[in-house]
Amino acid sequence: FQKTAGARWWAPFVADEPEARSFMNYPDRVAGGRSSFFRTFRYRFSDQELSFIRHAPARFVQMGGAAFGVAHAAELAAALPDPGLRLAVRVNRAEPAFDTLEPVVVELKLTNTSDAPVLVDPAFARTGEGLTLVVQRHGRAAEAYHPPAALCALHPPVALLPGESVYDTVFVAAGSRRWLIDEPGRYDVVAALTVGDRTAVSDPLTVLVRPPAGYEEARLAQDYYTPEVGRVLAMDGSRYLDGAVTTLREVADRFPDSPASVHARVAVALPLTRPYKELVFADAGGAGRATRVEVHPPDPAAALGLAALLGGPAAAAAAVTLTHVDYRDYTEQVADALAAQQHGEEARAVLTAAAQQHGEEARAVVPAVVADLRAEAAAVAAPPATRPRAGRRRGR
């Protein structure tokens, strides 16, 4: 029943056959339902489907012959029935253009366009459940995005009322295998999300990556676009991958006013704001038995440095490159760390700055977000467990 969506490639081989007794049809959609379907089903394709399999262009028939997300695959996705949900891929800036070394982070907005509530996972981007992302550099084959890690957690579904939206972000620049957006040029990003028996497909978002601004930036890109650096950025830092952390420190030092510096400083400092446990082995290679567990305290300077970045003069630029969703999450994490280290004034200041950034009229941020941040700032003296918190919403 969706074959003619690709008619410009497939004609004259196929036409819609809503009553076909074929492997390709749904038994419950024919007249008379399942009993009628299986009464005459002969466990075969229809005649015209057999003609297509035998005579259509090879790249349409062979498994993997046509790259996913291009040609007929993309056309059919757009021809799905209206799911009552609208999925949008967007970026937090006037023009979808990024500097070299600036990671591409996209915001996903899921809106209920039906007339009834829909149950959705509020962490749909972090868990990756039902989410497909495809990235295609113009002139190349499309690639599916695979996150470096998936959040294994059960989140109670929330009721998305008609007209309401839920937001999350994805660090789409680098996946589990390699960087997907790592060269100057134009890239298309398409997302699809399945919620129950509904599938919403976004329109393509075309982003531009600008050429390097100079020789130093081009040289550093060779060390920057590595799997280790991509993994550290996507996971918000590491205390273990020292080579990647060194590269990010160099980015922050050499290009302090660049958007890439914001991401680098967050990834370098955020792990240091929290205490952590290290499993120490008897030998340097870790092949022997563990001998002890060492507990390392947080570094107060790391949280204060991030507070200056996120709540100081560069706060507006940080909110743009990090996206509003991630910017809010980082400020809340930093505020928690500062409050735990008895820096209440600094914690209140960074939350207040975040509320001001989100409160700008041009930002078009949901008013409840601003109210939440102001409430958190007012209650910053309370223990973290008792302070109001809307919950983490980002996909990194």
Side-chain angles (χ1 to χ4, degrees), residues 101-104 140 143 171-183 187 221 223-234 248:
L101 305 184
E102 181 184 7
V104 176
R140 293 184 182 176
E143 295 186 67
F171 187 88
V172 75
S176 61
R177 300 166 185 171
R178 67 177 195 86
W179 286 79
L180 300 180
I181 303 178
D182 59 352
E183 294 181 1
Y187 297 78
D223 297 326
Y224 183 81
Y225 288 118
T226 64
E228 291 76 16
V229 172
R231 193 170 299 121
V232 170
L233 286 169
L248 292 173

Side-chain angles (χ1 to χ4, degrees), residues 173-340:
S176 61
R177 300 166 185 171
R178 67 177 195 86
W179 286 79
L180 300 180
I181 303 178
D182 59 352
E183 294 181 1
R186 297 186 185 276
Y187 297 78
D188 289 337
V189 182
V190 181
L193 180 67
T194 299
V195 179
D197 59 352
R198 311 179 185 204
T199 299
V201 182
S202 74
D203 291 331
L205 170 70
T206 300
V207 299
L208 169 68
V209 177
R210 302 184 183 97
Y215 170 79
E216 280 299 311
E217 199 171 54
R219 182 195 63 79
L220 190 53
Q222 300 177 62
D223 297 326
Y224 183 81
Y225 288 118
T226 64
E228 291 76 16
V229 172
R231 193 170 299 121
V232 170
L233 286 169
M235 299 298 292
D236 285 340
S238 170
R239 289 179 177 259
Y240 179 76
L241 298 175
D242 295 333
V245 172
T246 299
T247 298
L248 292 173
R249 290 184 186 277
E250 186 176 1
V251 169
D253 291 341
R254 288 184 176 274
F255 310 105
D257 299 324
S258 69
S261 174
V262 175
H263 292 266
R265 291 174 62 182
V266 169
V268 168
L270 196 62
L272 303 178
T273 64
R274 301 182 290 263
Y276 78 104
K277 295 180 180 179
E278 179 184 6
L279 191 61
V280 181
F281 291 86
D283 63 334
R289 296 182 60 185
T291 57
R292 67 188 186 278
V293 174
E294 292 185 356
V295 179
H296 300 269
D299 180 1
L304 291 171
L306 283 181
L309 171 68
L310 302 175
V320 169
T321 189
L322 295 173
T323 75
H324 286 121
V325 177
D326 284 3
Y327 173 77
R328 176 192 179 180
D329 182 64
Y330 291 136
T331 56
E332 290 176 333
Q333 291 188 59
V334 170
D336 279 348
L338 290 169

Side-chain angles (χ1 to χ4, degrees), residues 64 73 80 94 122 187 204 268 318 362 372 394:
L80 290 172
Y187 297 78
V268 168
D372 287 344
R394 62 192 181 82

